[in-house]
Amino acid sequence: MFNLKKIINNLKKNKNNIGSSKFQIFLLSLRINNLQKHLSVFKKDFHNKFSLLKLIFYRRKLLKYLKLNNKNEYNFIIKKLKLRY
């Protein structure tokens, strides 16, 4: 698994800015990956399946926002997280 403190230090722009869309997308991706692993074991866990869909849609919304406002950061996130090939 990822070392969260190390990742936070690499992604944040300054000490107080961990709420940027870039950082939120990364944290959502971590949560999505964890839920996918959980759901591969517990296939009938419908509550977490619904939560997974909500997280995916929220991440998609943030990516759309980032794509419109900052194309360079969007491309960086896509390559770093290997979301689209």
Side-chain angles (χ1 to χ4, degrees), residues 55-67:
L55 291 174
I56 289 172
F57 290 137
Y58 187 60
R59 182 179 69 180
R60 184 190 308 168
K61 192 178 188 182
L62 286 173
L63 282 169
K64 188 176 181 181
Y65 168 79
L66 198 61
K67 186 177 183 180

Side-chain angles (χ1 to χ4, degrees), residues 1 24-40 48-49 51-60 63 81 83:
M1 175 108 182
Q24 287 181 27
I25 290 167
F26 185 76
L27 288 180
L28 283 171
S29 296
L30 286 178
R31 289 179 61 196
I32 287 169
N33 290 338
N34 288 338
L35 270 176
Q36 284 177 335
K37 289 176 189 173
H38 172 79
L39 288 173
S40 67
N48 281 329
K49 194 177 288 190
S51 298
L52 175 67
L53 288 174
K54 282 175 40 176
L55 291 174
I56 289 172
F57 290 137
Y58 187 60
R59 182 179 69 180
R60 184 190 308 168
L63 282 169
L81 296 177
L83 293 177

Side-chain angles (χ1 to χ4, degrees), residues 1-15:
M1 175 108 182
F2 298 102
N3 185 359
L4 193 58
K5 289 184 180 180
K6 184 179 177 184
I7 293 166
I8 288 171
N9 289 332
N10 287 339
L11 286 179
K12 67 182 178 179
K13 293 178 183 176
N14 60 33
K15 289 183 180 181

